Amino acid sequence: MGDVSSFPVARLRRLRRTAALRDLVRETTLSLDDLVFPLFVAPEALPNDRLPALRRHTVEGVVRECEELVRLGVKSVILFGIPEDKDEEGSGAWIADGIVQQALRALRPRFEELLLLTDVCLCEYTSHGHCGVIADGEVDNDASLELIARTAVSHVEAGADVVCPSDMMDGRVAAIREQLPSTPIVAYSAKYASAFYGPFRDVAGSAPAFGDRRGYQMDPGNVREALRECRLDVDEGADVLMVKPALPYLDVVRAVRERFDLPLAAYSVSGEYAMLKAAAAAGDLDERAVALESLTSIRRAGADVIVTYWAKELAGWL
Ligand code: PBG
């Protein structure tokens, strides 16, 4: 191979000497174009001093927040809802005046250019906190599909650009695709039953009331199964695949990148954010540096898009 030489001819430090040289040859970069910022909408606001991005906004608050985000250059947000009331079926997820639908109706006319994604799931809306409906003490896959598709349709009717099913029911991408032939679907294809979702569940109030999510989210030990999940979502009509969490699953990001040509997203979850925030608050790590390094690593592993709680701060840093 013509480009192989060895020391002393080869000196890799030659291209590391100045910032301009390093910038010139950097293989992986971060851009606000590729970042999605999560926003939580609720009947009442709930600030969060320690983890500022994990806060609840009212509908009016989310409009103000988006004004700021657009000003900073953030281009995409993903909305999560915390409803006034929860019930067995999670009806707050799909009713026309649900909290996410209200937020979409307020945002859509004001921010034509802001990309509005929505998380499609029932767990924030069900009284039991599971991602589907319960029958005989278990989450009933097929009975949940219709409700999940109904939720996606109501989001699009209220102004969503992109829907992101995160429930991990089998067949949910097909169920949504059948109802919404022209809406982009970002499928949480390889979503693991992870303990890194803790801070999210605190803000969303979506911890399961009994049992856990291991009967539908993926086992952390598996990567071949992640590829099967992705294959099914491709066949069912997904436009973008997603791996979640991100940092502890970079090998999965890489494996999916190598196998599939679809755009790939990675969700850098609340626990990843909380870990670095805590270490920074303790004075052990430089938050800006470790956040940039983590997000770069997720991109280097193969993600095109990153959902991250740092998107807003990053807008100031980049
Ligand atoms: C909804 C959903 C969850 C997250 C995103 N969508 C919680 C869960 O599955 O328990 C987690 C995001 C995060 O931790 O940042 N099902």
Side-chain angles (χ1 to χ4, degrees), residues 41-252:
V41 199
E44 281 178 51
L46 183 66
N48 190 335
D49 291 337
R50 263 188 326 114
L51 306 173
L54 285 158
R55 57 159 302 163
R56 297 180 183 179
H57 298 276
T58 59
V59 171
E60 300 76 58
V62 95
V63 169
R64 283 195 300 276
E65 181 76 357
C66 285
E67 276 164 8
E68 195 182 342
L69 290 169
V70 166
R71 196 161 40 69
L72 289 166
V74 174
K75 297 182 173 184
S76 306
V77 296
I78 179 165
L79 298 176
F80 294 90
I82 298 107
E84 184 92 61
D85 301 303
K86 305 189 185 221
D87 59 29
E88 281 284 306
E89 282 203 303
S91 62
W94 65 77
I95 52 176
D97 65 345
I99 189 80
V100 165
Q101 291 81 354
Q102 288 178 40
L104 287 164
R105 289 204 174 83
L107 294 171
R108 184 71 294 163
R110 288 180 175 83
F111 303 100
E112 265 176 51
E113 69 297 0
L114 181 65
L115 208 57
L116 300 174
L117 289 71
T118 59
D119 183 85
V120 175
C121 196
L122 303 182
C123 67
E124 295 106 284
Y125 306 91
T126 51
S127 43
H128 44 75
H130 279 288
C131 302
V133 286
I134 305 291
D136 301 325
E138 273 193 65
V139 176
D140 184 329
N141 191 86
D142 296 16
S144 304
L145 293 180
E146 197 262 321
L147 304 180
I148 286 158
R150 202 189 291 179
T151 301
V153 169
S154 79
H155 289 175
V156 171
E157 283 172 354
D161 295 301
V162 178
V163 292
C164 314
S166 69
D167 52 284
M168 288 302 276
M169 298 301 119
D170 288 316
R172 88 273 207 218
V173 173
I176 294 171
R177 179 52 77 219
E178 196 183 306
Q179 303 289 318
L180 296 169
S182 49
T183 302
I185 298 175
V186 175
Y188 285 76
S189 304
K191 176 172 176 180
Y192 286 85
S194 171
F196 285 95
Y197 306 151
F200 172 98
R201 290 182 189 170
D202 289 342
V203 65
S206 65
F210 63 89
D212 54 45
R213 301 205 206 292
R214 284 183 276 192
Y216 42 104
Q217 297 181 345
M218 277 189 55
D219 190 280
N222 295 354
V223 62
R224 293 193 304 270
E225 187 190 357
L227 298 174
R228 292 189 72 195
E229 282 285 3
C230 289
R231 164 58 51 209
L232 289 166
D233 286 353
V234 172
D235 292 346
E236 291 177 29
D239 298 285
V240 178
L241 302 171
M242 182 143 75
V243 172
K244 176 184 169 193
L247 270 191
Y249 294 85
L250 292 183
D251 59 317
V252 182

